[in-house]
Amino acid sequence: MNVTDLVLHVGFPKTATTALQRRIFPQIPGYIGKHGSEDDRLWLRVLRDWRVGSSSINEHLRQWVQSRSALGQPRHFLSYEELSGWPSQKDSAIWPMNDTYRTAHRSGEHPITQFLSHLHRHLPPGWRLRIIMTVRAQGPLLASLYSQLEGDMQAPGQIDFERKVRRFLDEGDSFLDYASLLLALQSIVTPSDILVLVHEDGLPENIRRIGSFLTTEVDDSALPSAPKNAKSVGVQEWQAVRRVPLVYAGRFGTARRALRARVPRPRRQIALAVWEHLRRLERLVIARLPSKPASGEKISLHPLLLAEIQNHHALSNNRLSKILGREHMGAEWESTP
C-alpha cells in the first residue's frame, strides 16, 4: 500500500518559522501553507474550530481530508505557527507577553495534542501523520517575542517586560514545557515520525535535518540576510526593527493599541469569521499607506531574570535533553555534534 504523508510543522514563535515558510518549505513537494501557492481556506476553518472549541471541527476535518485525498498526492505539508499556540476558553490570546495573555490558567497537557489526536482519528488507511517541531531556549524566546508583539502593547518597555515574565513564571504556565509536549506527541505519532529542531543549532543545520527527515533536497541560499526583529548589539538584548504605517504611529497608534487591548477576539463562529475578515481587510488597506522606519524599546534579558526563567524550565529541559539524546540542553542550549 502506498503511504500518504501528512506533515505538520508545529513551530513555536521566534524559531525562524517565517523564514522556513517563505524560503524553505515551498521547495518541498506537497507544501500547502502558510506561505505556499495555495491558501487552504478549509484548513483555516479547521484551525478556527479548534481555537474556539467549535463542534464543527468534525465536519470540517472530514471535508478537508476528503478534499486532500481526492488529489492523490503522496505528501500534504502544512506549517502554521498557530498550532503551537494555547487557545483558552477564558482568553483568546494564544501567545505569552501579549497584553491580553492573562486570566486563563494554562497548565497540564498542551491543547495541540488533543487536536492532533482528533486529526489522527480522521485520517484514512494508508495515511501517516508526521510532525516537525521547532523550539528555542525559553529566555531568548520570551524576550524576542515581546519585541515582536510590542507594537500592540499599551505601555511597552523593560518594566512591562519583566512584570509579564514574572507573572508567566508565577502562574506556572506550561506553554514552554517542551518535554511534556514531545512526550504527549509521541503517544500519538511514532517517535521516528517526529523531528525536533532546536533554534540554537542554526538554520543551515536545521534545514539539513528537514531535508533528511523528508528525503528532499532543499537549498538554504535563499534565506533572508536580516531577521524581521533584529537582535541589537550587546548580550541578551532585543529591539524590534520594522517599518510602521503612519496611521499606527503617534496618538492614533496609541488609541488603536488601547482599543485592541480592551476588545477581545470574539469566540462565536460567525462573529469570529467577521472579525478575521475585517483584520485581513485592515492589513490590506494599511499595506498600501505610507510607512516609516521605527525601532522599538530595547529589551534586556538581565542575568537574574534569565536565571529565573532557566530554573523554572530546568526540569523540562533536562527531560527534553534525554529524550533527544543530547548531552546538554541547559542554560545556553549549546548545540552538540
Side-chain angles (χ1 to χ4, degrees):
M1 178 186 294
N2 293 329
V3 176
T4 299
D5 283 342
L6 173 56
V7 183
L8 295 184
H9 173 222
V10 181
F12 276 81
K14 311 313 299 176
T15 58
T17 300
T18 300
L20 292 172
Q21 290 171 339
R22 291 187 181 276
R23 309 285 183 164
I24 302 303
F25 292 159
Q27 302 178 41
I28 298 173
Y31 181 65
I32 304 169
K34 182 173 187 177
H35 297 289
S37 58
E38 180 181 344
D39 192 1
D40 194 334
R41 297 292 178 183
L42 186 53
W43 174 256
L44 294 180
R45 285 202 295 272
V46 169
L47 289 183
R48 188 169 62 214
D49 291 339
W50 167 60
R51 287 202 306 267
V52 303
S54 171
S55 59
S56 300
I57 190 171
N58 286 308
E59 179 60 20
H60 288 154
L61 262 178
R62 185 185 62 80
Q63 292 176 10
W64 183 80
V65 170
Q66 287 181 348
S67 69
R68 303 311 304 181
S69 297
L71 298 177
Q73 295 177 187
R75 177 189 292 141
H76 307 274
F77 182 13
L78 297 117
S79 173
Y80 283 87
E81 202 172 61
E82 290 84 351
L83 287 172
S84 69
W86 197 306
S88 165
Q89 294 299 319
K90 295 182 180 179
D91 191 350
S92 60
I94 62 174
W95 307 124
M97 303 292 100
N98 197 303
D99 276 354
T100 55
Y101 188 85
R102 56 177 181 266
T103 69
H105 184 59
R106 295 168 174 87
S107 63
E109 190 173 278
H110 195 291
I112 186 58
T113 58
Q114 300 174 4
F115 173 73
L116 293 180
S117 179
H118 201 58
L119 172 62
H120 196 263
R121 291 195 297 269
H122 280 78
L123 297 183
W127 279 53
R128 175 175 61 172
L129 181 60
R130 311 191 77 193
I131 304 295
I132 297 174
M133 187 170 81
T134 48
V135 301
R136 182 177 185 177
Q138 289 89 352
L141 185 150
L142 290 172
S144 184
L145 181 61
Y146 184 93
S147 290
Q148 176 175 317
L149 297 176
E150 73 164 41
D152 290 328
M153 297 177 189
Q154 292 190 65
Q158 184 69 28
I159 294 176
D160 182 60
F161 166 67
E162 294 184 7
R163 177 181 60 82
K164 287 178 177 175
V165 168
R166 289 202 166 89
R167 184 178 66 196
F168 178 83
L169 301 179
D170 291 343
E171 292 177 353
D173 200 303
S174 299
F175 180 79
L176 296 177
D177 181 1
Y178 302 134
S180 293
L181 173 56
L182 180 56
L183 288 171
L185 292 178
Q186 289 181 346
S187 69
I188 303 168
V189 181
T190 304
S192 61
D193 286 324
I194 301 176
L195 174 66
V196 179
L197 302 176
V198 178
H199 178 76
E200 283 73 12
D201 288 343
L203 263 179
E205 172 61 17
N206 286 335
I207 290 169
R208 184 194 65 78
R209 292 177 182 172
I210 291 169
S212 177
F213 182 68
L214 299 178
T215 60
T216 302
E217 291 290 331
V218 289
D219 178 15
D220 65 359
S221 63
L223 287 172
S225 58
K228 180 180 178 181
N229 287 284
K231 184 176 180 181
S232 62
V233 177
V235 178
Q236 301 292 3
E237 291 182 338
W238 282 262
Q239 188 172 27
V241 180
R242 58 170 71 92
R243 293 193 67 85
V244 178
L246 294 180
V247 294
Y248 284 179
R251 294 180 179 178
F252 184 87
T254 302
R256 174 184 173 274
R257 289 191 294 271
L259 180 64
R260 285 196 60 186
R262 288 170 170 77
V263 179
R265 181 195 299 259
R267 304 202 61 82
R268 294 185 180 276
Q269 192 77 358
I270 296 177
L272 182 61
V274 172
W275 187 88
E276 292 182 343
H277 178 74
L278 291 175
R279 287 293 306 278
R280 287 194 296 269
L281 182 60
E282 179 195 35
R283 287 193 291 266
L284 288 174
V285 172
I286 294 300
R288 289 164 171 77
L289 297 177
S291 61
K292 67 176 183 178
S295 296
E297 298 287 331
K298 183 179 289 187
I299 301 301
S300 299
L301 191 57
H302 297 306
L304 289 178
L305 184 61
L306 177 59
E308 288 184 46
I309 298 172
Q310 291 167 348
N311 290 336
H312 181 82
H313 294 96
L315 179 60
S316 174
N317 289 344
N318 288 336
R319 293 171 66 200
L320 182 64
S321 180
K322 294 178 181 179
I323 297 171
L324 298 181
R326 298 173 70 108
E327 294 181 2
H328 174 66
M329 189 168 287
E332 299 300 330
W333 279 41
E334 296 172 352
S335 61
T336 57

